Amino acid sequence: MATLAAALIAFAAPASAARIDDQFQAWLAKDLWPEAKAKGISKATFDAAFQGVSPNLKLPDLVLPGEKPKTPKKQHQAEFGSPGNYFSEKTLGAVTSGGRARAGANAKTLAAIEKRFGVPGGVVLAIWGRESGFGAAKMPYDAFEVLGTKAFLATRKEMFRKELLAGLEMVERGLVSRKAMRSSWAGALGQPQFLPTSFLKHAVDFDGDGRADIWNSTPDTLASIANYLVHYGWAKGRDWGFEVSLPESVTCALEGPDQGKKISDWAAMGITRVGGKPFPQNEARAEGFLMMPAGRNGPAFIVTPNFYVLKEYNESDVYALFIGHGADRIASGDRRFVGNWGKVDGLYRSDVATMQRGLEKLGYDVGGADGLPGFKTRRSIGDWQAKNGRAATCFPDKGLLEAMR
């Protein structure tokens, strides 16, 4: 009985690194290998992939044996900052100046990519610059260590298991050498930062050497990025969006990809492009969407479906806006946002989550109480503010927090 009790205590307690490694090796042999074999992975490829590999317990979002998933305190206590922080001139300037420098050097390739895929060169360059510093970023991790650790211990095991098996397929098919499988901490590969499933779906041989090389080939890297966007619905001939001036008479609660109107209809409501230019004729007849990442606390935009294609690369409004704005600056020079990003009212992400839960109790769909105010949260705030006699800002503030406590 004492032996059984000791065993139960050992199982329930957080595992030591050595014991986790033993469990990892058993998982590889008894769980992962049978599935890999069924998918056509050879034992030689499998063994080479995991030779000398142990779980990296320093990676984020892991759940160790004997522990329960938990929200990191750091995330809960993180200050809620202005979306404008994402657009520091140091980062944005490096992408735009670097993009312009490479636009000339790769003009022929970019023209061929735009002709084949319909994606403007500026967009492709902005993604390349943002993802890997135009290929300069180091990939410090062994991809099989990262993907193996996460498939075994992460909060999203099934997703990483799928990526791990795709990585094995890449090596098995000779698409990349085992040695070249270096990645970010999240398991992303090469200059476009593709996960293995994205490589298998979207990587393109554009330099004609017979293999898609997103590690060393600039043409293959750029074309693969464009192919990725096309797969998710990039509309040839359309812009990503326009910065606009929003009259006080138009509520910010109209934001969102499910509240589209013809751009000419937005214009009829008094919304105008900053700088005074009219919307292009082809855009005026097509659908657009109001997008205000900081509510009335920052610039406003009318975006096209291509904006939401950019979000497929990284599920974030500010990421897509960074890429679209960076692409404009690469193509047309340093035209910065006209609207100013306001300051945030001394809040934490936990405060934003409190507001979201309060709005949910009132029947609003805020897209989840995660402490990140996406468009559903922003427009819910605006609607609640208007109904309660407040100026509709569509952005969290201390007054709203007090009202929702």
Side-chain angles (χ1 to χ4, degrees):
M1 185 67 75
T3 303
L4 176 59
L8 289 172
I9 291 171
F11 180 79
S16 67
R19 191 148 54 82
I20 290 173
D21 188 38
D22 290 342
Q23 293 172 343
F24 177 69
Q25 298 301 328
W27 172 78
L28 287 176
K30 297 177 182 178
D31 188 339
L32 189 67
W33 164 240
E35 184 175 0
K37 182 180 179 181
K39 289 182 177 293
I41 306 301
S42 68
K43 193 68 165 64
T45 294
F46 191 87
D47 289 346
F50 296 106
Q51 184 177 4
V53 171
S54 296
N56 184 341
L57 303 184
K58 294 181 181 179
L59 295 173
D61 303 323
L62 304 184
V63 182
L64 304 185
E67 293 185 352
K68 294 180 179 179
K70 56 188 176 182
T71 301
K73 287 185 178 180
K74 184 177 179 183
Q75 177 177 314
H76 181 76
Q77 295 171 348
E79 289 188 8
F80 170 60
S82 165
N85 296 340
Y86 196 85
F87 302 95
S88 74
E89 193 54 36
K90 181 179 180 181
T91 304
L92 191 52
V95 168
T96 54
S97 63
R100 282 199 296 272
R102 288 161 179 80
N106 298 282
K108 198 171 186 181
T109 297
L110 290 166
I113 287 171
E114 184 161 3
K115 182 177 180 181
R116 176 170 164 183
F117 297 101
V119 182
V123 170
V124 175
L125 289 166
I127 292 175
W128 185 27
R130 179 67 189 178
E131 291 298 321
S132 66
F134 306 102
K138 303 298 182 186
M139 296 296 117
Y141 294 94
D142 180 324
F144 287 111
E145 176 188 88
V146 171
L147 296 172
T149 299
K150 288 181 172 285
F152 181 56
L153 293 172
T155 53
R156 294 181 293 165
K157 289 186 179 69
E158 288 306 312
M159 187 273 271
F160 283 105
R161 185 186 184 99
K162 183 178 179 182
E163 297 299 340
L164 180 56
L165 290 165
L168 289 167
E169 181 182 344
M170 289 169 61
V171 177
E172 179 68 31
R173 289 169 54 186
L175 303 176
V176 60
S177 70
R178 167 64 182 92
K179 185 179 179 181
M181 288 292 282
R182 307 295 299 176
S183 76
S184 71
W185 62 266
L189 307 167
Q191 297 187 45
Q193 286 290 274
F194 280 175
L195 287 168
T197 54
S198 290
F199 177 90
L200 293 174
K201 290 177 186 174
H202 310 303
V204 173
D205 170 24
F206 207 68
D207 60 14
D209 69 352
R211 59 189 294 263
D213 183 358
I214 63 170
W215 293 269
N216 305 296
S217 169
T218 295
D220 290 4
T221 293
L222 298 177
S224 297
I225 292 170
N227 193 40
Y228 182 102
L229 297 177
V230 168
H231 175 89
Y232 284 104
W234 184 270
K236 184 176 182 179
R238 293 208 67 184
D239 209 313
W240 68 270
F242 310 90
E243 187 180 355
V244 298
S245 295
L246 191 76
E248 290 297 327
S249 59
V250 178
T251 174
C252 49
L254 288 174
E255 184 183 4
D258 54 351
Q259 298 193 93
K261 303 177 187 293
K262 284 185 180 179
I263 291 180
S264 58
D265 291 339
W266 289 114
M269 296 168 68
I271 295 175
T272 58
R273 287 180 67 182
V274 298
K277 286 185 179 179
F279 294 104
Q281 284 284 334
N282 68 307
E283 295 287 2
R285 295 189 294 269
E287 190 173 34
F289 313 90
L290 181 61
M291 203 279 293
M292 301 176 70
R296 287 194 175 273
N297 208 30
F301 305 87
I302 294 294
V303 300
T304 77
N306 282 344
F307 175 85
Y308 296 101
V309 173
L310 294 177
K311 279 189 70 172
E312 293 290 343
Y313 216 101
N314 184 321
E315 188 58 32
S316 162
D317 286 339
V318 291
Y319 176 88
L321 182 56
F322 183 103
I323 298 302
H325 183 61
D328 287 348
R329 286 177 57 166
I330 290 169
S332 306
D334 282 328
R335 51 177 185 175
R336 305 188 184 191
F337 293 124
V338 173
N340 293 318
W341 299 96
K343 294 181 179 180
V344 172
D345 205 5
L347 300 173
Y348 293 90
R349 280 185 53 179
S350 55
D351 294 328
V352 177
T354 296
M355 296 179 208
Q356 290 171 319
R357 287 190 291 270
L359 288 165
E360 283 179 332
K361 289 177 182 177
L362 295 174
Y364 287 99
D365 176 9
V366 298
D370 57 2
L372 298 172
F375 75 89
K376 289 184 177 181
T377 295
R378 296 193 295 265
R379 69 189 187 190
S380 296
I381 290 172
D383 185 67
W384 180 89
Q385 288 170 323
K387 287 178 177 176
N388 286 273
R390 305 185 183 202
T393 65
C394 296
F395 204 63
D397 58 41
K398 284 185 176 178
L400 180 63
L401 174 62
E402 291 305 315
M404 293 296 154
R405 282 194 189 279

